[in-house]
Amino acid sequence: MQYKAPIRDMKFVMHELLESTKHYQTIKDYTHIEADIVDSYLETAASFAENELSPLNMSGDAEGCHFEDGVVTTPKGFKEAYKQYCELGFTSLTAEEEFGGQNMPMSLNSAISEFMGTANWSFGMYPGLSEGCVSTLEHHGTDEQKNKYLPKLVEGTWTGVMCLTEPQCGSDLNLVRTKADPQEDGTYSIKGGKIWISAGEHDMSENIIHIVLARLPDAPAGTKGLSLFVVPKFMVNDDGSLGERNAVSCGSIEHKMGIKASATCVMNYDGATGFLIGEKNRGLNVMFTFMNVARIGTAIQGVTAAQFAFQGALEFAKERLAFRSLDGAKFPDKVADPIIVHPAVRDMLLTTKAFAEGGRALIGYMSQFADTVAKGEGDAQKYADQMLSLLTPIGKAFLTETGLEAAHHGVQAMGGSGFCTEYGLEQNVRDTTIACIYEGTTQIQALDLIGRKVLGSQGKLLANFTKVIQTFCEENQDNSEMGQFTRPLMRLIKEWGDLTSRIGMQATENPEAVGGAAVDYMYFSGYVTLAYLWARMALIAQTEIKNGNSEKEFYDAKMKTAQFYFAKILPRTSTHVQRIGTGVEPFMTMDIEQFAF
Amino acid sequence: MQYKAPIRDMKFVMHELLESTKHYQTIKDYTHIEADIVDSYLETAASFAENELSPLNMSGDAEGCHFEDGVVTTPKGFKEAYKQYCELGFTSLTAEEEFGGQNMPMSLNSAISEFMGTANWSFGMYPGLSEGCVSTLEHHGTDEQKNKYLPKLVEGTWTGVMCLTEPQCGSDLNLVRTKADPQEDGTYSIKGGKIWISAGEHDMSENIIHIVLARLPDAPAGTKGLSLFVVPKFMVNDDGSLGERNAVSCGSIEHKMGIKASATCVMNYDGATGFLIGEKNRGLNVMFTFMNVARIGTAIQGVTAAQFAFQGALEFAKERLAFRSLDGAKFPDKVADPIIVHPAVRDMLLTTKAFAEGGRALIGYMSQFADTVAKGEGDAQKYADQMLSLLTPIGKAFLTETGLEAAHHGVQAMGGSGFCTEYGLEQNVRDTTIACIYEGTTQIQALDLIGRKVLGSQGKLLANFTKVIQTFCEENQDNSEMGQFTRPLMRLIKEWGDLTSRIGMQATENPEAVGGAAVDYMYFSGYVTLAYLWARMALIAQTEIKNGNSEKEFYDAKMKTAQFYFAKILPRTSTHVQRIGTGVEPFMTMDIEQFAF
């Protein structure tokens, strides 16, 4: 499928819904960013995504990465596309000017990432991981480390990569075993193996900078004994030139369900030279800088999946002829009606549309808070940090799960054609399945949300957000047409609070109760969060239609999608409420041995 | 993953839940089938599935089928396995004795198909399609046709295949264009192209008998102008030997998301010689003989997906160590607890278990009705036909959709390992995605259920079934422990009736209402149907535990799974009820042009 970037809708989200220009005015570094600057970036990104990345999406999947003797070769065309990507400045977008960056906001980067990612998620993994490395070094590196690595990373000549997972530990970093032995020269000798290292080895850049989580000899057990190291593939001389090869090698690459053009590497560190980043035994805290950004990045994958599914299925549903509308022929001149006339097909299309556009709005909303966390000040920064902390697990888990659901609707709406590789819709399912797993599974995010964020703040982080929703509802209480949205929202935020109290109470009696409710609570939170954003989008649509905006069809479609969301998606909350109501016992009564067949 | 057949549970379903021996006593042809005969078949099938088919599952996926110059080569080992499959008599199981068959019941065949299909769904497609061909010829072929084709098909030397779909028509057979021109010798010249023909061409059998849907020159338009033809790949001489090659050729095979070892062929009929089966223009009626059986066959794929996911994820969840139970360490001697202690992981495991075992029960339940439809008599046959008509769309749509959901839980429970090909769980998702599409999509089944079956019978077919459920509840009203199941069931069958009336009323005002409610109605029906079967299984478990059965753990697990199903799965019905309540309008208000981005 030839990708077409949803530029109009992205502008709607950035300019109309989230008033980016006003937002950028609140952050010193960004006051110069006017709407036309944003638009110009969006258009360059859209054009690159459509013309350069989209054509490599299916061929990259078919070809995959190749591994031979420690060398990883990316699919045909990837190297050349990456060179262009660098030349267009996408690797330097958010980096600091001091190191050659453009110091542009995360919120713009998120928008661009969606375009790139929908066109070709595998490709986007390489620069995406690099951003994590840059951000970690910017925040925690020494001046020497920054000067040594950042300029090349920012221009894209080198790429960076984050190395956490080991064979015995994925989600639970307590179990990390990779060792870092201090050497007399102040460096560390890194020994151990990492797995599932995305972009750990490849042929697109001259050097690869590994950020490696490892344990000092005298470190305490668990996550409080983890330190972070920078381990370059090639040592870097003082003049910036490349020195000898470090003892870092790729042992193999994984064969996976999807994102086949993204190299997932087994990495071996055989006494590799590493340099400590940040304080000893504080590696996890350092890592969290990267993780929040990475989680927004992964949440975006959910939006890309929904957008891709919508776009592919839509084209098909308008063209494919089968049966007549139950209401009588809608296209009597054709041998049958296009399947878009059938309610069940519309259900799938509208669900993917509602998740894609609602998800786009949520990513924008989160990313603005991320802007303020990164570059804002004072109370605004503190508030943004709280909002982002709450929204990150919701965005990551909910958008990736609904993205996967949407990807399946895309296949299903196309029937047998969806199952065949030639349309690309099945690849979308395969690619996006990993989004629910990496950067913390749905289940881990759900625990983070209810446990650490909501109950851990005694409800404060949640109250911040429900107050925002309540204020919105109250501001529009005299707007009778908005009642269809504000009434259910008011009921839902009350229910959200009640659910939270109930789980908190249950937890005092049984600590498992939190784990038992977590996933349902995350879904409930996600559906309400998107409902709030859909209500805001409906308000804009209502206003623009009333004002006689010439793009009436666009706004009318927005309003109808909002109504669809409230009528057909929000009822899902009631199942989650009921499931939370039946408590944790139905999960726990079965003895481990009784799990059998 | 090495497959292990759930023999114990299959015996539970066949002997304890559905009392097969008693059931077989009611059908003349089957009165001789004692439990030990059933068990012996099950054990032979289990052993073959585990030892011969399971080892070819991942290799078959990796290798796929190959096409060159019209020749399709199946993956390494398939041909040899098929030879054994024939020798063990699996191709002849349900066929009539007159043609070398064993005249065994569909219900036994379904059980065996589950074992074969979980081990290797792609392999099972070849003999599965052949069964459809045999059944069509048995019911509608002339004596000459039967004598000519059936003996070789039944012994498996030849295989058969069903050819309906064309590029311009999948679900909507009104649009079939393949032509059948009558020849002077009484044969027909078949001209046209078919696509997505599973097992249309391959190297496992000496001849392939195509059952082709085509249109006579003077035929009325639409499905009332379709006739059915038998079109052999090689002509068959009067002495049964193979004659010249017919003008049937394979143009290519599809590249697909899954079931890659099953050849999905583009077939060309270039004036191929065909022979009419049944009456002219009655091809669709003839085809329905095959379709009901095929739909049970496809429903089984949903059960295989759930079983496979459960088995794979279970092994992993018991071994993989991550974090501690929120309730304190459960395995303090290990570095962390196995992930099966966590409620969210248990949720996924129990959901797959409940769908696998509940689905197995539903397949058994449907298949017994199929036995009676095929070989029963009088009122019993009529009643069975009504029950099967109602249950077929539920079984096909609900079990394949829940199977796909379960397949995803299997991947998710394994995290990154689930996404890697080496464990086979991701293949399970890819393979089972097609189950929701072929033999009538979920959406088509849903329309069939509410439209043709329920409303089309003025509610009679539904009333038959709700009466069965009501009787069960009433019979157990003094059993206080069963109240946890019978009370919700009584409420749900009332709700089922109310929903049906409501949709019927809506439909009198707006014919689209049926289409708008169909998918939700199907899910509601599926959840209630499985709830009924889980309640029956719980009753058996309760009784056996009370009677001091030595397999207490087995029955206790059954009871707990039933309780899980009622507590955590049944709440999904309320979302579907609410969605039906918001009517069809939210699907229909958007203009076709407004579906855009």
Side-chain angles (χ1 to χ4, degrees):
Chain A
M1 189 191 74
Q2 170 56 49
Y3 169 61
K4 191 146 172 9
I7 292 192
R8 177 66 189 92
D9 200 58
M10 187 61 86
K11 290 182 182 172
F12 171 79
V13 167
M14 293 193 73
H15 302 318
E16 301 173 61
L17 176 67
L18 300 175
E19 300 179 296
S20 293
T21 318
K22 229 189 242 178
H23 159 70
Y24 293 141
Q25 287 297 326
T26 67
I27 299 167
K28 207 170 54 189
D29 279 21
Y30 302 146
T31 50
H32 66 289
I33 306 177
E34 298 290 344
D36 59 338
I37 296 180
V38 169
D39 291 352
S40 141
Y41 273 98
L42 292 181
E43 276 147 29
T44 306
S47 160
F48 180 75
E50 292 170 359
N51 300 317
E52 306 303 326
L53 296 187
S54 177
L56 297 176
N57 192 38
M58 282 174 61
S59 60
D61 176 66
E63 190 185 336
C65 290
H66 291 280
F67 174 82
E68 211 181 322
D69 294 335
V71 175
V72 174
T73 312
T74 54
K76 196 161 168 277
F78 269 52
K79 231 170 134 164
E80 294 72 19
Y82 179 69
K83 199 158 169 281
Q84 278 193 60
Y85 183 91
C86 297
E87 284 164 5
L88 287 168
F90 293 120
T91 56
S92 64
L93 195 72
T94 56
E96 290 171 19
E97 285 175 10
E98 191 183 348
F99 306 108
Q102 303 174 58
N103 194 28
M104 293 297 281
M106 169 78 184
S107 50
L108 179 60
N109 198 41
S110 291
I112 289 174
S113 296
E114 188 206 307
F115 292 175
M116 303 294 183
T118 318
N120 192 328
W121 188 262
S122 286
F123 177 90
M125 294 283 290
Y126 298 89
L129 270 293
S130 226
E131 278 171 36
C133 174
V134 167
S135 161
T136 304
L137 286 168
E138 279 184 348
H139 286 87
H140 306 283
T142 61
D143 285 345
E144 193 196 336
Q145 288 169 346
K146 289 183 190 178
N147 291 322
K148 200 166 213 168
Y149 301 111
L150 284 175
K152 293 281 190 180
L153 283 167
V154 168
E155 73 181 24
T157 321
W158 300 349
T159 54
V161 58
M162 312 300 290
C163 311
L164 293 76
T165 303
E166 300 181 4
Q168 77 290 350
C169 78
S171 306
D172 185 359
L173 294 171
N174 283 294
L175 310 178
V176 162
R177 285 187 202 146
T178 297
K179 289 279 173 212
D181 281 320
Q183 306 295 298
E184 291 192 355
D185 62 358
T187 67
Y188 295 81
S189 169
I190 311 292
K191 285 184 196 149
K194 297 281 178 183
I195 62 166
W196 299 341
I197 307 306
S198 298
E201 179 59 42
H202 58 84
D203 58 356
M204 302 192 337
S205 63
E206 293 171 11
N207 198 6
I208 299 174
I209 311 306
H210 296 240
I211 306 287
V212 180
L213 209 55
R215 206 176 275 285
L216 293 166
D218 56 354
T223 52
K224 288 180 176 148
L226 295 173
S227 304
L228 210 60
F229 300 88
V230 55
V231 183
K233 174 179 167 185
F234 290 102
M235 299 304 291
V236 180
N237 299 321
D238 288 342
D239 65 356
S241 63
L242 293 185
E244 62 180 4
R245 175 79 188 239
N246 202 353
V248 176
S249 62
C250 176
S252 61
I253 57 174
E254 304 290 346
H255 297 277
K256 314 182 300 291
M257 183 183 200
I259 56 164
K260 293 189 180 191
S262 166
T264 306
C265 302
V266 173
M267 295 304 308
N268 300 315
Y269 304 90
D270 302 310
T273 302
F275 308 92
L276 184 70
I277 311 175
E279 288 176 50
K280 289 180 188 179
N281 299 332
R282 301 278 294 164
L284 209 61
N285 302 60
V286 172
M287 208 63 168
F288 274 124
T289 308
F290 157 71
M291 281 209 244
N292 275 331
V293 174
R295 284 174 178 176
I296 297 182
T298 309
I300 292 172
Q301 191 174 4
V303 179
T304 70
Q307 173 65 30
F308 193 96
F310 178 59
Q311 187 174 331
L314 178 59
E315 202 178 305
F316 186 86
K318 285 181 173 177
E319 283 170 15
R320 178 74 173 181
L321 307 178
F323 300 112
R324 290 298 179 186
S325 161
L326 290 180
D327 199 18
K330 294 278 192 289
F331 292 79
D333 52 319
K334 297 185 195 248
V335 295
D337 285 335
I339 62 173
I340 198 170
V341 306
H342 305 305
V345 173
R346 290 176 158 251
D347 189 4
M348 293 187 278
L349 290 174
L350 286 165
T351 302
T352 56
K353 184 175 196 288
F355 287 147
E357 296 177 8
R360 182 170 300 127
L362 177 53
I363 294 293
Y365 189 59
M366 291 167 68
S367 298
Q368 286 197 346
F369 289 122
D371 289 346
T372 308
V373 171
K375 297 288 170 84
E377 292 165 312
D379 285 349
Q381 189 186 38
K382 198 178 148 197
Y383 177 79
D385 188 50
Q386 291 179 349
M387 285 296 285
L388 186 60
S389 292
L390 179 81
L391 292 171
T392 297
I394 298 176
K396 200 285 178 183
F398 182 75
L399 294 184
T400 58
E401 290 285 349
T402 53
L404 179 56
E405 179 194 328
H408 268 295
H409 291 316
V411 169
Q412 185 72 22
M414 292 181 67
S417 300
F419 192 68
C420 290
T421 55
E422 64 186 295
Y423 297 90
L425 278 280
E426 63 85 28
Q427 182 188 342
N428 190 36
V429 171
R430 290 187 291 102
D431 285 352
T432 206
T433 295
I434 191 60
C436 306
I437 297 171
Y438 59 14
E439 297 307 332
T441 63
T442 298
Q443 291 70 27
I444 299 268
Q445 302 297 334
L447 270 178
D448 179 53
L449 173 65
I450 179 71
R452 194 174 309 157
K453 306 297 170 60
V454 175
L455 298 179
S457 71
Q458 279 82 46
K460 174 156 178 30
L461 299 199
L462 177 62
N464 280 351
F465 187 34
T466 50
K467 195 172 162 199
V468 168
I469 302 176
Q470 190 179 346
T471 305
F472 172 80
C473 293
E474 285 167 0
E475 282 169 2
N476 291 284
Q477 64 189 355
D478 298 331
N479 182 333
S480 63
E481 205 194 343
M482 282 299 290
Q484 61 186 315
F485 305 115
T486 54
R487 277 190 305 270
L489 268 178
M490 285 299 286
R491 183 180 60 69
L492 284 164
I493 58 176
K494 183 177 177 312
E495 197 162 25
W496 203 352
D498 292 347
L499 273 181
T500 308
S501 311
R502 192 199 297 184
I503 298 168
M505 298 275 276
Q506 287 173 352
T508 59
E509 285 167 33
N510 179 359
E512 301 277 22
V514 174
V519 173
D520 286 300
Y521 187 84
M522 177 283 292
Y523 274 111
F524 181 92
S525 306
Y527 288 119
V528 178
T529 301
L530 238 57
Y532 161 64
L533 291 165
W534 269 114
R536 281 181 59 179
M537 294 194 274
L539 178 63
I540 297 169
Q542 184 203 27
T543 311
E544 294 302 326
I545 293 169
K546 206 173 289 171
N547 292 347
N549 190 305
S550 64
E551 289 183 290
K552 180 172 178 301
E553 295 303 323
F554 176 83
Y555 293 105
D556 196 40
K558 249 330 151 203
M559 175 60 82
K560 287 169 178 172
T561 310
Q563 288 166 335
F564 167 82
Y565 184 89
F566 273 72
K568 296 296 186 186
I569 303 291
L570 265 190
R572 299 184 187 190
T573 53
S574 71
T575 291
H576 295 296
V577 171
Q578 283 184 44
R579 276 172 52 98
I580 291 172
T582 56
V584 72
E585 286 70 25
F587 299 132
M588 306 314 289
T589 53
M590 185 99 77
D591 298 336
I592 291 180
E593 299 69 33
Q594 290 180 331
F595 281 89
F597 60 91
Chain B
M1 187 190 76
Q2 171 55 49
Y3 170 62
K4 197 152 165 4
I7 291 193
R8 177 65 190 92
D9 200 59
M10 188 61 85
K11 289 182 181 172
F12 171 79
V13 167
M14 292 193 74
H15 302 317
E16 301 172 62
L17 176 67
L18 300 176
E19 301 180 296
S20 293
T21 319
K22 228 188 244 177
H23 159 70
Y24 294 141
Q25 286 296 327
T26 67
I27 299 167
K28 207 171 55 189
D29 278 21
Y30 303 145
T31 51
H32 66 289
I33 305 176
E34 298 289 344
D36 60 338
I37 296 180
V38 168
D39 291 353
S40 142
Y41 272 99
L42 291 180
E43 277 148 27
T44 308
S47 160
F48 181 75
E50 291 169 359
N51 300 318
E52 307 302 327
L53 295 187
S54 177
L56 298 176
N57 192 37
M58 282 173 62
S59 60
D61 177 66
E63 190 185 336
C65 289
H66 291 282
F67 174 82
E68 211 180 323
D69 293 335
V71 175
V72 175
T73 312
T74 54
K76 197 162 167 277
F78 269 52
K79 229 170 134 163
E80 294 73 17
Y82 179 69
K83 197 157 171 281
Q84 279 191 61
Y85 183 91
C86 296
E87 284 164 7
L88 287 167
F90 292 120
T91 55
S92 64
L93 196 72
T94 54
E96 288 170 22
E97 286 175 11
E98 191 183 348
F99 307 107
Q102 303 173 57
N103 194 27
M104 293 296 283
M106 169 79 185
S107 51
L108 179 60
N109 198 41
S110 291
I112 290 173
S113 295
E114 188 206 309
F115 292 175
M116 303 293 183
T118 318
N120 193 328
W121 187 264
S122 286
F123 177 90
M125 293 284 290
Y126 297 89
L129 270 293
S130 226
E131 279 170 36
C133 174
V134 167
S135 160
T136 304
L137 286 169
E138 279 184 348
H139 285 88
H140 304 283
T142 61
D143 285 346
E144 194 197 333
Q145 288 168 347
K146 289 182 188 177
N147 290 323
K148 200 165 212 171
Y149 301 110
L150 284 174
K152 292 281 188 179
L153 283 167
V154 168
E155 75 181 25
T157 321
W158 300 350
T159 53
V161 58
M162 312 299 290
C163 311
L164 293 76
T165 302
E166 300 181 5
Q168 78 290 351
C169 80
S171 306
D172 185 358
L173 295 172
N174 282 295
L175 310 179
V176 163
R177 285 188 203 145
T178 297
K179 289 276 171 215
D181 281 319
Q183 306 295 298
E184 290 192 356
D185 62 358
T187 68
Y188 294 82
S189 169
I190 311 290
K191 285 184 197 151
K194 297 280 178 181
I195 62 166
W196 300 341
I197 306 306
S198 299
E201 179 58 42
H202 58 83
D203 57 357
M204 302 193 338
S205 64
E206 294 170 11
N207 198 5
I208 299 174
I209 311 306
H210 297 241
I211 306 286
V212 180
L213 209 55
R215 207 176 275 284
L216 293 167
D218 56 352
T223 53
K224 287 181 178 148
L226 295 173
S227 304
L228 211 59
F229 301 88
V230 55
V231 183
K233 175 179 168 186
F234 291 101
M235 300 303 291
V236 180
N237 299 321
D238 288 343
D239 65 355
S241 63
L242 294 185
E244 61 180 6
R245 175 78 187 240
N246 202 352
V248 176
S249 62
C250 177
S252 62
I253 59 174
E254 304 290 346
H255 297 278
K256 313 182 301 290
M257 182 185 201
I259 58 165
K260 293 188 181 191
S262 165
T264 306
C265 303
V266 172
M267 295 303 309
N268 301 314
Y269 305 91
D270 302 310
T273 302
F275 307 91
L276 183 71
I277 311 175
E279 287 175 53
K280 289 181 189 178
N281 299 333
R282 301 278 294 165
L284 208 63
N285 302 59
V286 172
M287 209 63 168
F288 273 125
T289 308
F290 156 72
M291 281 208 241
N292 276 330
V293 173
R295 283 173 178 178
I296 297 182
T298 309
I300 291 172
Q301 190 175 5
V303 179
T304 70
Q307 173 65 28
F308 193 97
F310 178 59
Q311 186 175 332
L314 179 60
E315 201 179 305
F316 186 87
K318 285 181 174 176
E319 283 170 14
R320 178 73 174 182
L321 307 178
F323 300 110
R324 290 298 181 186
S325 162
L326 290 179
D327 198 19
K330 292 280 190 291
F331 293 79
D333 54 319
K334 299 188 194 240
V335 294
D337 285 334
I339 62 172
I340 199 171
V341 306
H342 306 306
V345 173
R346 289 176 159 251
D347 189 4
M348 292 187 277
L349 290 174
L350 286 164
T351 302
T352 56
K353 185 176 194 288
F355 286 147
E357 296 177 7
R360 182 171 299 126
L362 177 53
I363 293 293
Y365 189 58
M366 289 166 70
S367 298
Q368 286 197 347
F369 289 122
D371 290 347
T372 308
V373 171
K375 296 288 170 87
E377 292 165 313
D379 285 348
Q381 189 187 37
K382 197 178 149 196
Y383 176 79
D385 188 50
Q386 291 178 347
M387 286 295 286
L388 186 61
S389 292
L390 179 80
L391 293 170
T392 297
I394 298 176
K396 199 286 177 182
F398 182 76
L399 295 183
T400 58
E401 290 285 348
T402 53
L404 179 56
E405 179 194 328
H408 269 295
H409 291 318
V411 168
Q412 185 72 21
M414 293 182 67
S417 300
F419 192 68
C420 290
T421 55
E422 63 186 295
Y423 297 90
L425 277 281
E426 62 87 27
Q427 182 189 341
N428 191 37
V429 171
R430 290 188 289 103
D431 284 352
T432 206
T433 295
I434 191 61
C436 305
I437 297 172
Y438 59 14
E439 297 307 331
T441 64
T442 299
Q443 291 69 27
I444 298 269
Q445 302 297 333
L447 271 179
D448 179 53
L449 174 65
I450 179 70
R452 194 173 311 157
K453 304 298 169 60
V454 175
L455 297 179
S457 72
Q458 277 83 46
K460 174 157 179 32
L461 299 198
L462 177 62
N464 280 352
F465 186 33
T466 51
K467 194 172 165 200
V468 168
I469 302 177
Q470 191 179 344
T471 303
F472 171 81
C473 293
E474 285 168 0
E475 281 169 3
N476 290 285
Q477 66 188 356
D478 298 332
N479 182 332
S480 64
E481 205 193 343
M482 282 299 289
Q484 61 187 312
F485 306 115
T486 53
R487 277 191 304 272
L489 268 178
M490 284 299 285
R491 182 179 60 71
L492 284 164
I493 55 175
K494 183 176 177 313
E495 199 162 23
W496 204 351
D498 292 348
L499 274 182
T500 308
S501 310
R502 193 198 297 185
I503 298 167
M505 298 275 276
Q506 286 172 352
T508 57
E509 285 167 34
N510 179 358
E512 301 278 22
V514 174
V519 172
D520 286 299
Y521 187 84
M522 177 283 292
Y523 274 110
F524 180 92
S525 305
Y527 288 119
V528 178
T529 301
L530 238 58
Y532 161 64
L533 291 166
W534 269 114
R536 282 181 58 179
M537 295 195 273
L539 178 63
I540 297 169
Q542 183 203 28
T543 309
E544 293 303 325
I545 293 169
K546 206 174 287 169
N547 293 347
N549 190 305
S550 64
E551 289 183 292
K552 179 172 179 303
E553 296 303 322
F554 176 84
Y555 293 106
D556 197 39
K558 247 332 150 202
M559 175 59 83
K560 287 168 178 172
T561 310
Q563 288 166 334
F564 167 82
Y565 184 89
F566 274 72
K568 296 296 186 185
I569 303 292
L570 264 190
R572 298 183 186 190
T573 53
S574 71
T575 291
H576 295 295
V577 171
Q578 283 184 44
R579 276 173 50 99
I580 291 172
T582 55
V584 71
E585 286 69 25
F587 299 133
M588 306 313 290
T589 53
M590 185 100 78
D591 298 336
I592 292 180
E593 299 68 33
Q594 290 181 330
F595 281 88
F597 59 91

